[in-house]
């Protein structure tokens, strides 16, 4: 497993504006640095955004701008003084958290689980015995898109949006389709095999924020978050990010995006990352899951042991809040795969995250909980596993 490195950057910058006066922030960017940004509040076209120096996500109060070193210096000075500009950060490149190539455990020694009806993941979180279905709850999965023609989702409410220039929402990668399946796929698959979806009657919002090669940027994630909020999604599931070095501060801008989302009733749930190689190495929670107001998810295997790749709480920055099933996870895929039909088994904190997001949708339906209340109820479900809270947080998430 490679050593976590500093996140790659795009050359653009994120600017946090006063959420009480985003317009004043836009004027200030123009005044101090000559930067003119298009606003999502004005329904700016793709051409208008391309012609501008950047874009302002109005509901989040965050701008993404192209800026020269001199302009960055001017913006940074403005952020250090009282006013409507408060933080400037370099924009990062983010990736789908791809499954590690090796499970790290002897699967032959794992206890046998009957998956003839439901996956072991559904059984582990108790979704198969819950009366909740997720009906009426909107769940956004921000990832590599969705295989729109997948037969297991025929007749389902699936709204889609691509935030990747030149690519439709259709998922040529597979990662997004797998995550959507775990969060909200069927309990009876049209193509056979076990039921694998936690919130099987939830309304699915598939946002493509990562390309068909599995990479994207902070601005794409922010665009997806704003879209999810605008559409009233109670839950946002993000199995993506960038690895960080121990002690790296969390993004103040993503932290503000998360708190502003919570205030609007939207809970963001994100994968902790797969950079550990236990027992010898425990890597820190990655970006953006290391933000305090984003619910960070680690992974356990069928034996309820922490997955060897699962990132952990290793310093004062970023902690694991809860864990979900993340090893040998069967779910939907974008093409026929090795005799599994349009399904595949993979592992990662990417797979644990949509299990938690699905349970969040069940809780949202049952208790009409949103935002901070939904976070609190979700954390309270955690089943203690006899493992350190630095690895598993509140424990293994449980359906209501």
């Amino acid at each position: 497993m490679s050593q976590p490195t500093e996140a790659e950057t795009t050359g653009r910058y994120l600017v946090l504006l006063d959420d009480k006066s985003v317009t004043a922030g836009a004027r200030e960017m123009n005044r101090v640095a000559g930067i003119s940004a298009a606003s999502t509040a004005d329904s700016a076209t793709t051409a208008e955004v391309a012609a501008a120096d950047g874009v302002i996500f109005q509901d989040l109060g965050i701008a993404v701008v192209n800026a020269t070193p001199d302009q960055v210096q001017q913006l940074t000075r403005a952020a250090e003084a009282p006013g409507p500009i408060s933080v400037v950060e370099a924009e990062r490149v983010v990736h789908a958290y791809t499954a590690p190539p090796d499970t790290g455990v002897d699967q032959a020694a794992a206890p046998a689980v009957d998956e003839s009806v439901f996956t072991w993941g559904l059984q582990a979180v108790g979704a198969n015995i819950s009366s909740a279905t997720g009906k009426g709850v909107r769940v956004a999965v921000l990832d590599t898109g969705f295989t729109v023609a997948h037969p297991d989702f025929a007749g389902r409410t699936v709204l889609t949006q691509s935030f990747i220039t030149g690519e439709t929402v259709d998922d040529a990668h597979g990662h997004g389709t797998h995550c959507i399946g775990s969060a909200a796929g069927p309990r009876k698959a049209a193509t056979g095999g076990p039921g694998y979806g936690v919130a099987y009657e939830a309304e699915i919002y598939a946002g493509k924020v990562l390309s068909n090669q599995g990479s994207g940027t902070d601005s794409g994630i922010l665009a997806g978050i704003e879209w999810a909020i605008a559409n009233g999604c109670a839950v946002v599931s993000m199995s993506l990010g960038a690895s960080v070095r121990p002690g790296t501060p969390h993004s103040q801008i993503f932290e503000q995006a998360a708190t502003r989302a919570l205030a609007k009733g939207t809970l963001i749930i994100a994968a902790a990352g797969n950079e550990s190689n236990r027992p010898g190495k425990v890597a820190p929670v990655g970006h953006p899951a290391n933000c305090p107001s984003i619910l960070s998810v680690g992974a356990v295997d069928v034996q309820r042991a922490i997955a060897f790749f699962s990132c952990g709480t290793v310093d004062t920055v970023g902690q694991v809040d809860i864990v979900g099933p993340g090893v040998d996870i069967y779910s939907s895929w974008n093409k026929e795969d090795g005799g599994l039909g349009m399904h595949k088994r993979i592992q990662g904190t990417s797979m644990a995250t949509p299990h938690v997001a699905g349970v969040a949708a069940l809780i949202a339906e049952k208790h009409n909980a949103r935002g901070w209340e939904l976070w609190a109820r979700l954390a309270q479900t955690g089943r203690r596993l006899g493992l350190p809270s630095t690895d598993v947080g509140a424990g293994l998430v449980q359906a209501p």
Side-chain angles (χ1 to χ4, degrees):
M1 200 64 70
S2 60
Q3 180 71 20
T5 58
E6 294 296 337
E8 306 163 71
T9 55
T10 66
R12 293 180 299 193
Y13 290 84
L14 310 181
V15 183
L16 182 64
L17 308 175
D18 184 347
D19 63 338
K20 296 182 177 62
S21 186
V22 175
T23 303
R27 283 199 301 263
E28 187 70 357
M29 283 199 303
N30 188 267
R31 186 186 72 80
V32 303
I35 291 174
S36 175
S39 173
T40 56
D42 301 326
S43 300
T45 65
T46 303
E48 287 170 338
V49 170
D53 298 321
V55 60
I56 297 171
F57 299 111
Q58 186 75 21
D59 288 345
L60 298 177
I62 296 168
V64 182
V65 301
N66 297 300
T68 65
D70 284 348
Q71 288 174 317
V72 173
Q73 189 175 49
Q74 297 298 330
L75 290 171
T76 302
R77 284 177 182 165
E80 291 168 350
I85 296 175
S86 53
V87 180
V88 180
E89 293 177 1
E91 184 189 32
R92 304 157 199 79
V93 175
V94 293
H95 302 277
Y97 281 135
T98 52
D102 170 31
T103 63
V105 296
D106 181 2
Q107 287 298 316
V113 176
D114 181 357
E115 289 192 301
S116 59
V117 180
F118 300 114
T119 60
W120 81 262
L122 256 61
Q123 296 174 60
V125 303
N128 59 313
I129 57 173
S130 173
S131 61
T133 67
K135 188 172 184 177
V137 178
R138 297 179 178 184
V139 177
V141 179
L142 306 182
D143 210 285
T144 59
F146 177 58
T147 303
V148 177
H150 199 293
D152 284 358
F153 294 83
R156 290 290 297 280
T157 300
V158 183
L159 279 85
T160 64
Q161 180 73 41
S162 176
F163 299 95
I164 301 296
T165 302
E167 293 187 10
T168 68
V169 77
D170 206 55
D171 182 15
H173 187 285
H175 193 267
T177 300
H178 198 279
C179 292
I180 287 171
S182 292
R187 294 287 176 86
K188 288 187 178 179
T191 48
Y196 53 86
V198 177
Y200 63 97
E201 287 192 327
E203 297 175 23
I204 302 166
Y205 283 71
K208 185 167 189 160
V209 302
L210 302 175
S211 71
N212 289 328
Q213 284 67 50
S215 63
T217 64
D218 280 344
S219 59
I221 300 174
L222 292 169
I225 291 171
E226 183 171 74
W227 172 73
I229 293 171
N231 281 285
C233 293
V235 181
V236 174
S237 183
M238 306 196 313
S239 295
L240 50 76
S243 60
V244 299
R245 293 186 183 279
T248 303
H250 67 262
S251 165
Q252 294 181 63
I253 287 178
F254 269 81
E255 171 62 11
Q256 285 299 313
T259 58
R260 290 170 182 177
L262 282 164
K264 294 175 184 291
T266 299
L267 172 62
I268 300 174
I269 300 172
N274 300 340
E275 280 74 35
S276 294
N277 193 3
R278 298 167 183 269
K281 173 191 162 190
V282 181
V285 175
H287 161 80
N290 60 356
C291 292
S293 298
I294 293 178
L295 190 82
S296 171
V297 181
V300 294
D301 62 22
V302 69
Q303 302 175 72
R304 313 307 194 261
I306 192 72
F308 82 95
F309 51 77
S310 188
C311 286
T313 309
V314 299
D315 52 35
T316 57
V317 181
Q319 66 179 34
V320 175
D321 294 305
I322 204 162
V323 291
V327 176
D328 194 30
I329 300 301
Y330 176 95
S331 186
S332 41
W333 197 246
N334 64 335
K335 57 184 181 293
E336 297 279 338
D337 193 85
L340 295 177
M342 292 185 71
H343 304 91
K344 192 173 185 177
R345 289 184 182 274
I346 54 178
Q347 59 271 339
T349 55
S350 280
M351 285 60 256
T353 299
H355 279 88
V356 174
V359 171
L362 301 184
I363 294 171
E365 178 208 350
K366 185 168 184 178
H367 298 286
N368 196 30
R370 297 294 188 274
W372 284 115
E373 182 192 348
L374 181 54
W375 179 312
R377 288 184 179 276
L378 191 65
Q380 286 165 4
T381 73
R383 175 173 291 173
R384 303 305 303 178
L385 299 173
L387 297 172
S389 60
T390 50
D391 288 337
V392 301
L396 178 59
V397 70
Q398 295 294 295

